[in-house]
Amino acid sequence: MGFYAVTLKKKKSGQNMRKTVSKTDIGLTRKLNQDYVFTADMPVGKLENLYLVADGMGGHRAGGFASKYAVETMVEEISANKEDDVLSVLKQAIVVANYKIRKKAAEDSAMAGMGTTLVAATIQDGILKVANVGDSRLYLVNSRIQQITVDHSL
């Protein structure tokens, strides 16, 4: 299970200061950690910041590779994308990552059936923008805990 936390604190100057913490945990039932986390409090492409969590599908071949490959592809695609619409940038990166993972799985029988979940988040002008695939979740934690993402489980 991977997670990250973004804490917004006010500086004395009144500006928001962001602190990001990330951690993954293998859990009690798995032998391999198939999580991959990326955090950037600085700009990535046209995005002000970027937070990604991917969890390779447990029990499937090459889940750890899939999660890492998905995150690396997302960062590459977002870095190169010049579009202004944040959600389109995230969606396009997810589509490319999915295509590349499926292509790699088709080319190498050792990777057949691999997959990953993904949560992508960015804070643009003080507004949280999120995209997700699968059942990895993003929660907003303040005076209560609120699930932001919707599970896409079969």
Side-chain angles (χ1 to χ4, degrees), residues 25-42:
D25 187 281
I26 196 167
L28 299 174
T29 59
R30 303 274 185 235
K31 292 185 180 181
L32 296 172
N33 188 347
Q34 297 183 334
D35 301 338
Y36 203 80
V37 177
F38 174 87
T39 61
D41 291 322
M42 303 302 290

Side-chain angles (χ1 to χ4, degrees), residues 11-74:
K11 290 183 180 178
K12 288 185 180 184
S13 65
Q15 292 179 315
N16 283 333
M17 181 177 78
R18 212 172 268 122
K19 179 180 179 182
T20 306
V21 177
S22 61
K23 178 181 179 0
T24 66
D25 187 281
I26 196 167
L28 299 174
T29 59
R30 303 274 185 235
K31 292 185 180 181
L32 296 172
N33 188 347
Q34 297 183 334
D35 301 338
Y36 203 80
V37 177
F38 174 87
T39 61
D41 291 322
M42 303 302 290
V44 176
K46 292 188 98 175
L47 302 185
E48 294 175 28
N49 47 64
L50 181 62
Y51 310 102
L52 303 168
V53 175
D55 183 5
M57 293 180 348
H60 290 278
R61 293 178 171 178
F65 174 85
S67 62
K68 182 177 184 210
Y69 195 46
V71 168
E72 289 173 347
T73 300
M74 290 283 296

